[in-house]
Amino acid sequence: MILLALICVLLLGGFAAWFSERWSPMVPRWVAIISLTAEAQLIVLQYSSAEHAEGMSSVWFADFYAPWIPRFGIGFHLAMDGLSLLLIVLAVLLGFMAVSSSWTEIRDRQGFFFFNLLSCLAGTVGVFLAVDLFLFFFFWELMIIPMYFLISIWGHENRTYAAIKFFIFTQVSSLLMLLAIVALVLIHHNNGGTYSFDYFELLNTALDPDVAFWLMLGFFIAFTVKLPTVPFHTWLPDAHTQAPTGGSVILAGVMLKTGAYGLLRFVIPLFPEAAHQFAPVAMTLGVVSVLYAAMMAFAQSDLKRLIAYTSVSHMGFILLGIFSWNLLALQGSVITMLAHGISASALFMIAGALQERLHTREMGNMGGLWFALPRLSALALFFAVASLGLPGLGNFIGEFLVLQGAFSVNMSLTAVTTLVLILAPVYALIVMQKTFYGPLSQHSPLSDVSRREWASLGLLVLMTAWLGLSPQTVLNVSAPALKQEMQNFVVMER
């Protein structure tokens, strides 16, 4: 029941935040904080009681099932393993950050804003827990609609264009996944005589190689659009640039990870032979994303747009690691998901804080801010070097493990990927030079980091350093789930 509560608490908290605005505009933000606190307590309770769970293997330490549409083999089936646990923890942590960064930025319709924010988080938690493919698709759609409203209502000058583009890209790709899901279920019915959308039953479906390839491609496109990777990435810079800061935090830190999760959980285990044949293409797309997005970051004058392109570059590392499909690379992909979620969210929070103070995102209109905002500038420097992969911080661990794992699979692609180790410091230094050094462009007094901002960003500093200095805890939690996925791959391939 705790798994169900993890979704319901966020949904009910969203409705409570929406309706609480009638008493005071200040109430919804506190309702959101209370809902996320309850969510965090549920996660701690679930993890502490994991050893007492029954009915699942040691890999899946929590399970909830209720019949939904039994005629078509659809059930409300949720399950949690180490991978989903880590990503849900990330979602809740960044939920707090999104509320914090929206504290003074959002002034209109705050109740509806926090309803959409919590609904989007509920959808992502559902995506990480659902092991029924119909239920997974339901939550996949659930998280898209609130994000559309977050961008289109509270976004910036071109918010309508960005929101519609985001919606079209994600909906068209989701349709491909839905068609692939339905086709997979029909094939399973023809083989065994029963309908089932359950992940564990569909793992054993015998497929014609040509059919498996096209079904795999339907899933792959849907997940790589959300990841995103080149050439399906063009919606992301627009969405990030126009989204409010809280929306950018959830989009970069949580929603992009649902694409990586889908690749890891569904694409390769369900279609092992097709994924194995397609791996060189997928890895090449990952390398192209890493380098292309890093070079595109050079050309950006908008700070949020530059950070968005760095996100595309980091997602390329994750794609490379997943399709390398060995434990080192998979562990690296998981660490990169977490580390990028933290560092990119922090950078978007800093960009939002600068825009709130300066009323601009253009780096050409900034400069000399180190002297006016020394504490905010120091935090920006920390997360800039974290993003470029400074040893001792979380991003370095993830990228190092991905490169080490990928090297044993494809040395040439791995060698080309390492060029980003030159490109990333360059665009990071460009941001610092244009924004925080040089002559001071703003002569009006500017307020430095508030206590709220200091607490939020300081927590992300600690988490980034902890991931870099002590990643073994995370590796231990994710290892059983990743090993199980690899075993499923080996069994299906045979």
Side-chain angles (χ1 to χ4, degrees):
M1 290 297 293
I2 294 179
L3 299 185
L4 180 62
L6 286 172
I7 300 169
C8 292
V9 163
L10 293 174
L11 284 175
L12 294 176
F15 280 106
W18 189 0
F19 291 113
S20 67
E21 189 177 13
R22 66 182 64 184
W23 292 298
S24 169
M26 303 289 290
V27 175
R29 64 184 72 170
W30 288 107
V31 173
I33 290 290
I34 293 170
S35 301
L36 289 167
T37 302
E39 185 82 356
Q41 292 175 339
L42 286 173
I43 294 172
V44 173
L45 180 62
Q46 178 62 77
Y47 184 68
S48 63
S49 61
E51 60 184 9
H52 304 294
E54 297 179 358
M56 297 292 289
S57 67
S58 59
V59 174
W60 297 90
F61 51 76
D63 179 53
F64 173 83
Y65 179 83
W68 188 6
I69 312 175
R71 178 179 180 181
F72 297 107
I74 298 173
F76 200 93
H77 194 182
L78 307 173
M80 177 184 284
D81 63 356
L83 177 61
S84 53
L85 171 66
L86 291 173
L87 292 174
I88 292 172
V89 170
L90 177 68
V92 174
L93 171 65
L94 297 183
F96 281 109
M97 300 301 108
V99 174
S100 173
S101 60
S102 305
W103 203 262
T104 57
E105 179 182 350
I106 303 302
R107 303 181 185 275
D108 300 323
R109 305 176 68 181
Q110 294 187 35
F112 192 49
F113 175 86
F114 288 108
F115 164 75
N116 283 289
L117 188 68
L118 292 176
S119 297
C120 188
L121 287 172
T124 58
V125 170
V127 164
F128 295 141
L129 291 177
V131 287
D132 180 281
L133 266 64
F134 185 88
L135 183 64
F136 173 83
F137 183 79
F138 172 80
F139 285 123
W140 185 267
E141 294 294 294
L142 178 62
M143 69 180 177
I144 292 174
I145 297 172
M147 182 56 66
Y148 169 82
F149 285 122
L150 289 174
I151 298 172
S152 62
I153 297 176
W154 294 276
H156 302 301
E157 58 275 2
N158 293 321
R159 57 185 179 271
T160 302
Y161 167 78
I164 292 175
K165 188 174 182 179
F166 160 76
F167 193 77
I168 291 174
F169 267 78
T170 51
Q171 287 299 101
V172 170
S173 61
S174 297
L175 177 61
L176 294 176
M177 180 171 65
L178 178 61
L179 293 174
I181 290 173
V182 172
L184 179 61
V185 170
L186 292 176
I187 293 172
H188 181 270
H189 174 263
N190 291 336
N191 292 344
T194 58
Y195 290 106
S196 177
F197 283 80
D198 193 88
Y199 169 73
F200 299 105
E201 294 189 25
L202 295 176
L203 279 174
N204 301 315
T205 304
L207 298 170
D208 179 84
D210 293 334
V211 173
F213 176 81
W214 289 108
L215 295 183
M216 182 276 300
L217 200 60
F219 280 87
F220 178 84
I221 292 175
F223 294 139
T224 49
V225 166
K226 186 61 66 67
L227 192 59
T229 187
V230 176
F232 309 115
H233 70 289
T234 58
W235 64 269
L236 183 67
D238 293 315
H240 269 313
T241 303
Q242 302 303 322
T245 304
S248 290
V249 169
I250 297 302
L251 186 58
V254 184
M255 286 190 67
L256 301 190
K257 309 309 177 290
T258 60
Y261 174 82
L263 291 171
L264 187 56
R265 177 71 76 206
F266 296 105
V267 170
I268 298 181
L270 287 174
F271 314 104
E273 294 181 2
H276 181 72
Q277 295 173 358
F278 191 71
V281 177
M283 293 175 69
T284 301
L285 288 175
V287 175
V288 171
S289 297
V290 169
L291 299 178
Y292 173 80
M295 290 187 290
M296 285 296 294
F298 295 142
Q300 307 309 312
S301 59
D302 187 302
L303 181 57
K304 289 187 72 175
R305 198 171 184 87
L306 185 150
I307 300 170
Y309 274 108
T310 66
S311 293
V312 177
S313 181
H314 284 93
M315 294 304 99
F317 267 105
I318 294 174
L319 184 61
L320 176 66
I322 289 174
F323 275 86
S324 296
W325 204 252
N326 57 62
L327 188 58
L328 277 176
L330 293 178
Q331 292 274 39
S333 295
V334 172
I335 294 288
T336 303
M337 288 185 212
L338 302 176
H340 170 266
I342 294 170
S343 61
S345 297
L347 288 172
F348 279 115
M349 290 171 67
I350 292 170
L354 290 175
Q355 183 173 5
E356 192 173 356
R357 288 164 171 80
L358 306 175
H359 308 291
T360 182
R361 298 186 306 271
E362 290 293 322
M363 291 185 290
N365 297 331
M366 302 178 188
L369 294 180
W370 192 284
F371 303 100
L373 305 170
R375 286 180 292 179
L376 186 62
S377 303
L379 288 167
L381 177 61
F382 176 87
F383 288 109
V385 297
S387 180
L388 63 84
L390 182 72
L393 301 179
N395 299 71
F396 170 79
I397 298 296
E399 292 172 6
F400 178 80
L401 290 175
V402 167
L403 292 173
Q404 188 176 4
F407 187 80
S408 62
V409 177
N410 193 314
M411 290 185 290
S412 58
L413 284 179
T414 307
V416 173
T417 307
T418 56
L419 293 175
V420 79
L421 302 179
I422 301 172
L423 300 176
V426 174
Y427 65 65
L429 293 175
I430 287 175
V431 171
M432 293 304 300
Q433 179 65 40
K434 288 184 176 181
T435 306
F436 299 102
Y437 291 98
L440 182 63
S441 60
Q442 297 288 330
H443 300 288
S444 58
L446 298 173
S447 59
D448 207 346
V449 181
S450 66
R451 292 181 179 178
R452 170 182 51 82
E453 291 170 328
W454 184 253
S456 301
L457 291 170
L459 177 60
L460 297 185
V461 167
L462 293 177
M463 294 301 297
T464 300
W466 175 73
L467 271 178
L469 298 175
S470 183
Q472 194 59 49
T473 303
V474 172
L475 297 176
N476 290 340
V477 172
S478 63
L482 297 177
K483 289 178 180 178
Q484 181 65 42
E485 297 290 353
M486 294 177 65
Q487 290 175 2
N488 289 338
F489 175 79
V490 171
V491 171
M492 291 296 296
E493 194 174 34
R494 289 176 180 174

